[in-house]
mmCIF file of all heavy atoms in Angstrom:
data_model
loop_
_atom_site.group_PDB
_atom_site.id
_atom_site.type_symbol
_atom_site.label_atom_id
_atom_site.label_comp_id
_atom_site.label_asym_id
_atom_site.label_seq_id
_atom_site.Cartn_x
_atom_site.Cartn_y
_atom_site.Cartn_z
ATOM 1 N N TYR A 11 70.292 114.854 169.530
ATOM 2 C CA TYR A 11 69.802 115.650 168.433
ATOM 3 C C TYR A 11 69.247 114.708 167.395
ATOM 4 O O TYR A 11 69.934 113.726 167.077
ATOM 5 C CB TYR A 11 70.983 116.411 167.741
ATOM 6 C CG TYR A 11 71.582 117.549 168.585
ATOM 7 C CD1 TYR A 11 72.883 117.427 169.020
ATOM 8 C CD2 TYR A 11 70.856 118.702 168.834
ATOM 9 C CE1 TYR A 11 73.453 118.460 169.794
ATOM 10 C CE2 TYR A 11 71.438 119.709 169.593
ATOM 11 C CZ TYR A 11 72.720 119.598 170.028
ATOM 12 O OH TYR A 11 73.272 120.608 170.736
ATOM 13 N N ASP A 12 68.052 114.946 166.965
ATOM 14 C CA ASP A 12 67.399 114.089 165.944
ATOM 15 C C ASP A 12 67.477 112.638 166.307
ATOM 16 O O ASP A 12 67.931 111.770 165.535
ATOM 17 C CB ASP A 12 68.099 114.310 164.571
ATOM 18 C CG ASP A 12 68.281 115.797 164.233
ATOM 19 O OD1 ASP A 12 67.392 116.524 164.548
ATOM 20 O OD2 ASP A 12 69.302 116.118 163.646
ATOM 21 N N ARG A 14 69.571 111.083 167.992
ATOM 22 C CA ARG A 14 70.893 110.471 168.098
ATOM 23 C C ARG A 14 71.520 111.034 169.396
ATOM 24 O O ARG A 14 71.630 112.278 169.542
ATOM 25 C CB ARG A 14 71.727 110.898 166.919
ATOM 26 C CG ARG A 14 73.150 110.226 166.843
ATOM 27 C CD ARG A 14 73.784 110.442 165.505
ATOM 28 N NE ARG A 14 74.142 111.824 165.241
ATOM 29 C CZ ARG A 14 75.350 112.310 165.436
ATOM 30 N NH1 ARG A 14 76.334 111.536 165.879
ATOM 31 N NH2 ARG A 14 75.685 113.589 165.210
ATOM 32 N N ILE A 16 74.178 112.350 171.751
ATOM 33 C CA ILE A 16 75.557 112.878 171.701
ATOM 34 C C ILE A 16 76.168 112.688 173.097
ATOM 35 O O ILE A 16 77.320 112.203 173.185
ATOM 36 C CB ILE A 16 75.551 114.407 171.411
ATOM 37 C CG1 ILE A 16 74.678 114.682 170.163
ATOM 38 C CG2 ILE A 16 76.906 114.986 171.349
ATOM 39 C CD1 ILE A 16 75.209 114.039 168.858
ATOM 40 N N PRO A 35 87.166 113.695 171.343
ATOM 41 C CA PRO A 35 87.419 113.925 169.907
ATOM 42 C C PRO A 35 86.414 114.910 169.326
ATOM 43 O O PRO A 35 85.356 115.187 169.907
ATOM 44 C CB PRO A 35 87.307 112.594 169.293
ATOM 45 C CG PRO A 35 86.664 111.678 170.268
ATOM 46 C CD PRO A 35 86.823 112.310 171.616
ATOM 47 N N SER A 36 86.757 115.406 168.139
ATOM 48 C CA SER A 36 85.855 116.323 167.447
ATOM 49 C C SER A 36 84.478 115.622 167.281
ATOM 50 O O SER A 36 84.415 114.455 166.910
ATOM 51 C CB SER A 36 86.513 116.620 166.095
ATOM 52 O OG SER A 36 85.929 117.750 165.571
ATOM 53 N N GLY A 37 83.407 116.359 167.595
ATOM 54 C CA GLY A 37 82.098 115.759 167.438
ATOM 55 C C GLY A 37 81.600 115.055 168.696
ATOM 56 O O GLY A 37 80.466 114.560 168.701
ATOM 57 N N ALA A 38 82.421 114.990 169.765
ATOM 58 C CA ALA A 38 82.070 114.237 170.939
ATOM 59 C C ALA A 38 81.011 114.913 171.782
ATOM 60 O O ALA A 38 80.336 114.323 172.589
ATOM 61 C CB ALA A 38 83.312 114.037 171.793
ATOM 62 N N GLY A 39 80.889 116.279 171.623
ATOM 63 C CA GLY A 39 79.880 117.035 172.334
ATOM 64 C C GLY A 39 80.437 118.042 173.305
ATOM 65 O O GLY A 39 79.763 118.463 174.255
ATOM 66 N N LYS A 40 81.655 118.516 173.067
ATOM 67 C CA LYS A 40 82.282 119.500 173.983
ATOM 68 C C LYS A 40 81.505 120.825 173.904
ATOM 69 O O LYS A 40 81.177 121.434 174.919
ATOM 70 C CB LYS A 40 83.746 119.702 173.654
ATOM 71 C CG LYS A 40 84.603 118.458 173.734
ATOM 72 C CD LYS A 40 86.081 118.687 173.367
ATOM 73 C CE LYS A 40 86.293 119.064 171.890
ATOM 74 N NZ LYS A 40 85.867 118.013 170.940
ATOM 75 N N THR A 41 81.272 121.288 172.675
ATOM 76 C CA THR A 41 80.527 122.553 172.537
ATOM 77 C C THR A 41 79.194 122.454 173.136
ATOM 78 O O THR A 41 78.646 123.323 173.809
ATOM 79 C CB THR A 41 80.441 122.956 171.018
ATOM 80 O OG1 THR A 41 81.745 123.067 170.524
ATOM 81 C CG2 THR A 41 79.690 124.209 170.812
ATOM 82 N N THR A 42 78.504 121.293 172.832
ATOM 83 C CA THR A 42 77.173 121.064 173.380
ATOM 84 C C THR A 42 77.180 121.144 174.926
ATOM 85 O O THR A 42 76.350 121.753 175.549
ATOM 86 C CB THR A 42 76.681 119.673 172.916
ATOM 87 O OG1 THR A 42 76.675 119.641 171.514
ATOM 88 C CG2 THR A 42 75.270 119.393 173.457
ATOM 89 N N GLU A 51 71.266 125.341 175.124
ATOM 90 C CA GLU A 51 70.652 124.053 174.802
ATOM 91 C C GLU A 51 70.105 123.485 176.100
ATOM 92 O O GLU A 51 70.571 123.869 177.170
ATOM 93 C CB GLU A 51 71.737 123.080 174.283
ATOM 94 C CG GLU A 51 72.311 123.409 172.929
ATOM 95 C CD GLU A 51 71.384 123.173 171.783
ATOM 96 O OE1 GLU A 51 70.265 122.570 171.973
ATOM 97 O OE2 GLU A 51 71.669 123.568 170.645
HETATM 98 P P1 LIG B 1 82.528 119.001 169.689
HETATM 99 O O1 LIG B 1 82.480 120.331 170.275
HETATM 100 O O2 LIG B 1 83.076 117.979 170.653
HETATM 101 O O3 LIG B 1 83.272 118.925 168.370
HETATM 102 P P2 LIG B 1 79.707 119.385 169.306
HETATM 103 O O4 LIG B 1 79.110 119.541 170.607
HETATM 104 O O5 LIG B 1 79.915 120.615 168.478
HETATM 105 O O6 LIG B 1 81.027 118.546 169.391
HETATM 106 O O7 LIG B 1 78.779 118.398 168.391
HETATM 107 C C1 LIG B 1 78.481 117.087 168.819
HETATM 108 C C2 LIG B 1 77.608 116.442 167.756
HETATM 109 O O8 LIG B 1 76.301 117.046 167.801
HETATM 110 C C3 LIG B 1 78.069 116.605 166.345
HETATM 111 O O9 LIG B 1 77.841 115.407 165.651
HETATM 112 C C4 LIG B 1 77.217 117.695 165.805
HETATM 113 O O10 LIG B 1 77.016 117.577 164.398
HETATM 114 C C5 LIG B 1 75.936 117.488 166.575
HETATM 115 N N1 LIG B 1 75.161 118.752 166.781
HETATM 116 C C6 LIG B 1 75.591 119.827 167.467
HETATM 117 N N2 LIG B 1 74.656 120.761 167.465
HETATM 118 C C7 LIG B 1 73.588 120.260 166.740
HETATM 119 C C8 LIG B 1 72.285 120.772 166.399
HETATM 120 N N3 LIG B 1 71.878 122.032 166.821
HETATM 121 N N4 LIG B 1 71.457 120.021 165.700
HETATM 122 C C9 LIG B 1 71.856 118.755 165.312
HETATM 123 N N5 LIG B 1 73.058 118.203 165.588
HETATM 124 C C10 LIG B 1 73.943 118.964 166.322
#
Side-chain angles (χ1 to χ4, degrees):
Y11 290 114
D12 312 323
R14 187 168 70 96
I16 307 302
S36 197
K40 300 180 294 300
T41 301
T42 302
E51 293 286 353

